[in-house]
């Protein structure tokens, strides 16, 4: 390790502006990125606490710590907070903003003020969602999917919650169009499309999904509000409407949305693995292309959420087939990551451990997705805990672990200091163990027939539910260690130096933490993002 | 650094076009519902269309087309550095927008006085196809009317910028993007008009 020093000035202090207003009204992409990181991650922790409470309730049959209505509200709010307040805005907002402009050699995003507006819209929407929990008829109890007819009839505060999500949708659209424009217009000289880091490629695909899918969510939520406030009856079968149309509209957005959640995570993994295997990434073009392929094919598969809703058999067949097609680009990524590892000089530091566990957990999640994507098997496990396990393997084991990996990989760059390695490894081991105990058990429970979103269950499911709850405690313990270690290290740890991991992308060429203007002079890119022969190895 | 100045003309244009896509998709959800329900209730949709006033609809179409012409001329005027003419033309667009909304108001009040509005007893107890038709009619024209209102306010704000000299021949992107937005509002109406008023 080089005897590194912290630079005297950086984006933390070199504008001479400090205090809260210099942050919440800053148009610097790094400050906005950190704002996103702290707001979205705070909501993640809220979601974690709600999840832990749900697991305690399910620890034993019957009432454990809460009543049925509270349980319904908690799983709804857990879903809404995790999906709309953390995982959708989290990756593009936090790491997209922090890293992407630097990786393409730009001073900032294309529309810095719009970027700040995105964050403000996000915070406003989040505040509205939070308000909905404590006002009116109380927190919504519909599940995060807001399915009609229940969502149009329940007396809980669905209207306000839906409006909050609508506002957050605006924020996502603006981030998406900002990133697409940035990647098209602001690449430094020599930063051709073939030299873009794969994280940028994945954000590019994500941004397109944000642009093309989010408006459908917006209009769907407007329709739910109109049903509740005006009584238009467009989803009411008694008045000529069709509730199935709600499900179509909702999933036309919400299935592509899971690719908004997973694609940036795949990008991080594609960046981390070559650095810690000290080998150029295998199949760069195919990984980049598969991001676009996932975004495109993933937009055509929404019907697989509705196999048991009463679609025609033809529709079921077509959607099932298209769903299997998405597995191809996903598998391309997994095979290329594994091929990158082959004969690499692998160093098992914290970011790499998260990346490797991502491959395993995402594969389990993805393959269980195929069980759900095949119509014949889906009928048996639909709406069981198998679905809950599958979803959390992809979203938490996938995106969540990638998010943790990104925090360990990139935050030393932005704080200029390192966390301690050993506690990071202990935290990872605990989380990985707890995670699998928690969610693999859920998949088994689902196979045995335990439905999801039920308050109570049959006594024969008791022991596995107890195991899952214990798993959730191990997972939480690991998370506490990780956070304490991470933030203690970032505030007081050893200086990280410009390039602690020996990465070859542009963010490692500038000081840690970076100056406000990122690059003293506009960089000229001469080598690829994974060409390690050109970087000084640590 | 040069590439971060706020004069990236193509970047600003690209961003605006992407935004317009999202607007199209927003209305796309409503058009999708229209397509599905039209297939289910073709006769009720035709009957509903006959209840709408096609004369007022046609007048509103002409008003919006004229407003788009004014908006395009306002862009050309700024490119020729004729700021005053540009402001007058933007004023013409805004007047058209106001006229459109007034006519929409007249249409809506006539319908509401006949007991046709979302949640009305007549629609609740009447023909399901009619209920769906007018539910979609109110949502679609309402959302479109909101866009007319927002577009009008946007254009007034841009006219002030033209007056202050913030929009010039060299830097007219704000007006160009404003006009693009206005054309989109116009374009969406061009689809709404035949789908609802000309259903025979």
């Amino acid at each position: 390790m080089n005897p590194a020093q912290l630079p005297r000035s950086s984006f933390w202090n070199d504008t001479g502006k400090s205090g809260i207003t210099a942050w919440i009204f800053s148009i610097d992409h790094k400050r906005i990125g950190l704002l996103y990181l702290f707001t979205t991650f705070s909501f993640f922790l809220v979601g974690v606490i709600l999840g832990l409470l749900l697991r305690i309730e399910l620890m034993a049959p019957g009432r454990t710590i809460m009543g049925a209505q509270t349980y319904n509200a908690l799983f709804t709010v857990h879903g809404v907070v995790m999906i709309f307040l953390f995982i959708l805005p989290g990756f593009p907002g936090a790491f997209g903003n922090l890293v992407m402009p630097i990786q393409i050699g730009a001073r900032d995003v294309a529309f810095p003020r719009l970027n700040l507006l995105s964050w403000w819209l996000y915070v406003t929407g989040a505040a509205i969602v939070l308000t909905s929990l404590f006002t009116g008829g109380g927190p919504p109890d519909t599940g995060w999917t807001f399915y009609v007819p229940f969502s149009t009839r329940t007396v809980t505060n669905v209207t306000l919650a839906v409006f909050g999500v609508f506002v957050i949708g605006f924020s996502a659209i603006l981030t998406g169009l900002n990133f697409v424009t940035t990647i098209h217009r602001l690449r430094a000289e020599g930063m051709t499309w073939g030299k873009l880091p794969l994280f940028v490629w994945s954000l590019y695909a994500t941004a397109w999904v944000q642009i093309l899918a989010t408006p459908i969510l917006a209009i769907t939520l407007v329709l739910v509000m109109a049903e509740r406030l005006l009584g238009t009856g467009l989803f009411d079968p008694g008045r000529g409407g069709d509730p199935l149309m709600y499900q179509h509209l909702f999933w036309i957005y919400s299935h592509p949305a899971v690719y908004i959640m997973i694609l940036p995570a795949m990008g991080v993994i594609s960046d981390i693995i070559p650095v810690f295997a000290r080998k150029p990434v295998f199949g760069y073009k195919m990984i980049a292309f598969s991001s676009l392929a996932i975004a495109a094919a993933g937009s055509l598969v929404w019907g697989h959420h509705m196999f048991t809703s009463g679609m025609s058999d033809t529709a079921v067949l077509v959607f099932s087939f298209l769903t299997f097609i998405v597995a191809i680009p996903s598998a391309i990524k997994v095979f290329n990551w594994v091929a990158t590892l082959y004969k690499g000089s692998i160093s098992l530091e914290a970011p790499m451990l998260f990346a490797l566990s991502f491959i395993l957990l995402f594969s389990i999640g993805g393959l269980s997705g195929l069980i759900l994507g095949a119509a014949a098997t889906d009928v048996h496990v639909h709406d069981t805990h198998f679905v809950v396990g599958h979803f959390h393997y992809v979203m938490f084991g996938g995106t969540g672990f990638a998010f943790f990996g990104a925090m360990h990989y990139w935050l030393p760059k932005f704080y200029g200091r390192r966390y301690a390695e050993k506690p990071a490894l202990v935290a990872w081991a605990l989380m990985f163990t707890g995670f699998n105990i928690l969610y693999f058990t859920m998949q088994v429970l689902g196979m045995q027939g335990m439905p999801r979103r039920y308050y109570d269950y049959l006594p024969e499911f008791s022991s596995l539910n107890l195991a899952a709850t214990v798993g959730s405690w191990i997972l939480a313990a690991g998370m506490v260690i990780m956070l304490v270690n991470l933030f203690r290290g970032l505030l007081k740890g050893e200086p990280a130096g410009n390039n602690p991991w020996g990465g070859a992308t542009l963010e490692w060429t500038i000081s840690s933490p970076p100056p406000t203007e990122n690059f003293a002079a506009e960089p000229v890119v001469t080598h690829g993002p994974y060409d390690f022969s050109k970087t000084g190895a640590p | 650094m040069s590439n971060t100045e706020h004069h990236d003309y193509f970047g600003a244009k690209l961003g605006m076009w992407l935004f317009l896509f999202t607007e199209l998709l927003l209305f796309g959800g409503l058009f999708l519902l229209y397509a599905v329900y039209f297939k289910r209730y073709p006769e009720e949709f035709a009957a509903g269309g006959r209840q709408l006033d096609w004369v007022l609809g046609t007048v509103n179409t002409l008003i919006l087309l004229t407003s788009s012409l004014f908006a395009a001329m306002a862009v050309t005027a700024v490119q020729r550095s004729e700021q005053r003419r540009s402001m007058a033309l933007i004023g013409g667009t805004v007047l058209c927008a106001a006229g459109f909304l007034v006519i929409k108001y007249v249409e809506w009040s006539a319908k509401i006085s006949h007991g046709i509005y979302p949640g009305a007893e007549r629609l609740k107890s009447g023909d399901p196809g009619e209920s769906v038709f007018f539910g979609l009619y109110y949502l679609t024209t309402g959302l479109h009317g909101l866009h007319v209102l927002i577009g009008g306010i946007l254009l007034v704000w841009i006219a002030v910028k033209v007056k202050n000299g913030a929009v010039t021949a060299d830097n007219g992107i704000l007006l160009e993007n404003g006009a693009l937005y206005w054309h989109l509002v116009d374009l969406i109406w061009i689809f709404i008009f035949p789908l609802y008023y000309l259903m025979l």
Side-chain angles (χ1 to χ4, degrees):
Chain A
M1 179 49 77
N2 306 327
Q5 297 259 309
L6 282 191
R8 229 171 291 135
S9 84
S10 69
F11 76 100
W12 290 88
N13 55 24
D14 65 2
T15 55
K17 290 179 192 148
S18 57
I20 186 83
T21 49
W23 280 83
I24 61 175
F25 298 119
S26 170
I27 55 169
D28 177 32
H29 69 97
K30 298 177 286 299
R31 288 192 171 197
I32 294 174
L34 285 177
L35 289 177
Y36 262 114
L37 180 69
F38 280 97
T39 39
T40 56
F41 204 77
S42 305
F43 282 115
F44 170 72
L45 295 178
V46 171
V48 167
I49 290 166
L50 296 175
L52 288 169
L53 291 174
L54 287 170
R55 275 320 313 172
I56 293 174
E57 172 52 41
L58 289 177
M59 192 162 68
R63 183 191 169 100
T64 314
I65 53 164
M66 63 182 84
Q69 179 62 26
T70 314
Y71 175 81
N72 290 348
L74 276 197
F75 77 65
T76 303
V77 178
H78 170 77
V80 170
V81 165
M82 282 299 201
I83 287 175
F84 294 114
L85 302 190
F86 167 62
I87 203 164
L88 279 166
F91 244 120
F95 289 106
N97 263 318
L98 278 173
V99 179
M100 184 270 284
I102 308 182
Q103 281 196 330
I104 65 171
R107 159 72 184 79
D108 208 314
V109 294
F111 310 115
R113 276 180 291 181
L114 203 62
N115 203 17
L116 180 64
L117 177 67
S118 298
W119 181 75
W120 272 101
L121 283 172
Y122 163 72
V123 172
T124 310
I128 295 173
V129 171
L130 285 186
T131 312
S132 80
L133 308 185
F134 303 107
T135 54
D141 57 351
T142 58
W144 74 276
T145 45
F146 302 118
Y147 264 25
V148 296
F150 185 59
S151 65
T152 60
R153 290 186 186 162
T154 174
V155 295
T156 55
N157 213 349
V158 169
T159 315
L160 201 59
V162 158
F163 181 66
V165 174
F166 176 83
V167 174
I168 292 172
F170 257 105
S171 153
I173 288 175
L174 295 182
T175 303
L177 72 85
N178 209 342
F179 281 12
V180 168
T181 311
T182 305
I183 295 167
H184 271 280
R185 299 293 304 165
L186 298 188
R187 282 172 288 125
E189 195 184 335
M191 179 57 81
T192 54
W193 289 92
K195 287 202 183 84
L196 280 184
L198 287 164
F199 181 58
V200 178
W201 265 111
S202 72
L203 280 173
Y204 182 70
T206 306
W208 272 109
V209 183
Q210 284 179 307
I211 292 170
L212 296 176
T214 316
I216 308 290
L217 174 74
I219 194 65
T220 311
L221 298 176
V222 167
L223 286 163
V224 171
M225 286 188 271
E227 293 285 305
R228 288 179 66 86
L229 298 174
L230 307 172
T232 39
L234 285 175
F235 299 129
D236 181 352
R239 299 176 47 201
D242 188 345
L244 203 61
M245 284 312 294
Y246 172 83
Q247 296 188 18
H248 273 296
L249 284 174
F250 181 80
W251 290 113
I252 287 176
Y253 162 76
S254 292
H255 196 78
V258 305
Y259 300 107
I260 300 178
M261 308 177 205
I262 194 73
L263 278 171
M266 292 169 155
V268 177
I269 303 309
S270 308
D271 263 15
I272 289 178
I273 285 181
V275 171
F276 290 86
R278 309 229 44 87
K279 242 186 89 195
V281 74
F282 185 86
Y284 170 89
K285 279 185 186 157
M286 287 313 283
I287 295 184
F289 158 78
S290 63
S291 290
L292 299 178
I294 289 175
S299 301
L300 303 172
V301 302
W302 74 87
H304 66 218
H305 295 267
M306 303 161 57
F307 286 163
T308 62
S309 301
M311 283 194 308
S312 75
D313 288 349
T314 318
V316 169
L317 201 69
V318 169
F319 279 122
S320 183
F321 173 72
L322 289 170
T323 302
F324 274 71
I325 288 191
V326 184
I328 298 171
S330 310
I332 286 176
K333 282 191 193 285
V334 170
F335 293 142
N336 278 322
W337 293 326
V338 175
T340 306
L341 294 171
Y342 180 65
K343 288 192 174 171
S345 167
I346 295 171
S347 98
L348 284 180
E349 288 166 290
M352 184 61 157
L353 285 171
F354 283 108
L356 292 178
S357 42
F358 172 97
I359 298 181
L360 180 72
L361 301 177
F362 173 75
S363 298
I364 295 175
L367 290 170
S368 63
L370 289 180
I371 295 172
L372 295 163
T377 42
D378 176 71
V379 173
H380 294 277
V381 287
H382 189 89
D383 255 343
T384 66
H385 262 63
F386 188 81
V387 180
V388 184
H390 153 72
F391 190 63
H392 284 84
Y393 260 100
V394 181
M395 290 293 116
F396 190 178
T399 309
F401 272 62
F403 201 90
F404 300 152
M407 286 166 86
H408 287 84
Y409 182 60
W410 274 318
L411 287 188
K413 162 86 343 197
F414 292 95
Y415 281 80
R417 294 179 185 276
R418 293 185 65 153
Y419 48 86
E421 190 64 25
K422 244 192 202 135
L425 301 186
V426 173
W428 168 81
L430 280 174
M431 288 198 291
F432 183 75
T433 313
F435 179 93
N436 282 296
I437 296 175
L438 171 56
Y439 294 112
F440 200 78
T441 313
M442 281 195 192
Q443 296 205 307
V444 176
L445 278 168
M447 279 293 178
Q448 294 178 347
M450 178 167 160
R452 70 171 177 157
R453 292 178 171 177
Y454 275 34
Y455 174 62
D456 203 359
Y457 52 82
L458 297 171
E460 56 257 43
F461 299 134
S462 300
S463 47
L464 283 180
N465 267 302
L466 181 63
T469 302
V470 172
S472 76
W473 296 337
I474 300 174
L475 177 58
M479 220 180 285
V480 170
I481 298 175
M482 175 185 79
L483 288 179
V484 170
N485 176 50
L486 205 52
F487 285 102
R488 201 172 57 180
L490 294 176
L491 296 177
K492 295 187 194 150
E494 293 288 306
N498 291 353
N499 193 355
W501 316 117
T505 39
L506 282 178
E507 74 270 30
W508 306 112
T509 63
I510 59 176
S511 56
S512 312
T516 299
E517 67 276 14
N518 294 345
F519 301 94
E522 190 172 334
V524 178
V525 181
T526 51
H527 61 84
Y530 309 105
D531 183 357
F532 298 109
S533 62
K534 300 291 198 300
T535 58
Chain B
M1 281 165 62
S2 59
N3 63 354
T4 59
E5 297 294 314
H6 285 274
H7 298 297
D8 182 7
Y9 176 82
F10 287 103
K13 224 32 182 309
L14 177 62
M16 191 65 199
W17 275 103
L18 291 171
F19 181 70
L20 297 185
F21 272 130
T22 69
E23 291 279 16
L24 281 181
L25 286 158
L26 183 77
F27 281 91
L30 291 173
F31 286 129
L32 182 68
L33 282 184
Y34 182 97
V36 171
Y37 289 137
F38 175 55
K39 180 163 182 293
R40 203 167 290 175
Y41 308 109
E43 280 156 24
E44 291 86 343
F45 269 47
R50 277 194 293 273
Q51 293 184 51
L52 296 176
D53 191 332
W54 67 270
V55 177
L56 289 182
T58 310
V59 171
N60 256 352
T61 308
L62 292 175
I63 286 178
L64 273 194
L65 286 174
T66 314
S67 73
S68 257
L69 176 67
F70 287 156
M73 287 166 76
V75 172
T76 314
V78 155
Q79 283 166 355
R80 293 180 183 164
S81 296
E82 298 168 348
Q83 318 294 35
R84 292 186 65 84
R85 175 177 293 184
S86 174
M87 280 159 57
L89 286 163
I90 297 174
T93 312
V94 174
L95 273 182
C96 287
F100 177 90
L101 287 176
V102 168
I103 292 182
K104 204 78 236 161
Y105 173 76
V106 171
E107 279 189 84
W108 273 30
S109 3
K111 280 279 156 301
I112 291 169
S113 67
H114 284 101
I116 300 179
Y117 53 90
E121 216 33 63
R122 173 176 160 186
L123 292 184
K124 267 185 184 162
S125 51
D127 193 321
E130 190 187 30
S131 165
V132 167
F133 179 83
F134 280 106
L136 277 173
Y137 166 77
Y138 274 104
L139 277 180
T140 313
T141 55
L143 192 63
H144 179 260
L146 186 67
H147 279 76
V148 172
L149 188 67
I150 293 170
I153 293 169
L154 192 72
L155 286 173
V156 170
W157 177 66
I158 292 173
V160 173
K161 290 270 180 184
V162 175
K163 188 174 195 293
N164 295 345
V167 176
T168 58
D170 296 332
N171 187 19
I173 187 66
L174 188 64
L175 176 57
E176 281 186 47
N177 278 346
L180 272 179
Y181 183 81
W182 191 256
H183 294 322
L184 176 92
V185 171
D186 188 9
L187 178 75
I188 290 170
W189 178 257
I190 296 300
F191 282 89
I192 293 175
F193 174 58
L195 286 175
Y196 286 90
Y197 290 80
L198 302 183
M199 288 286 308
L200 293 173

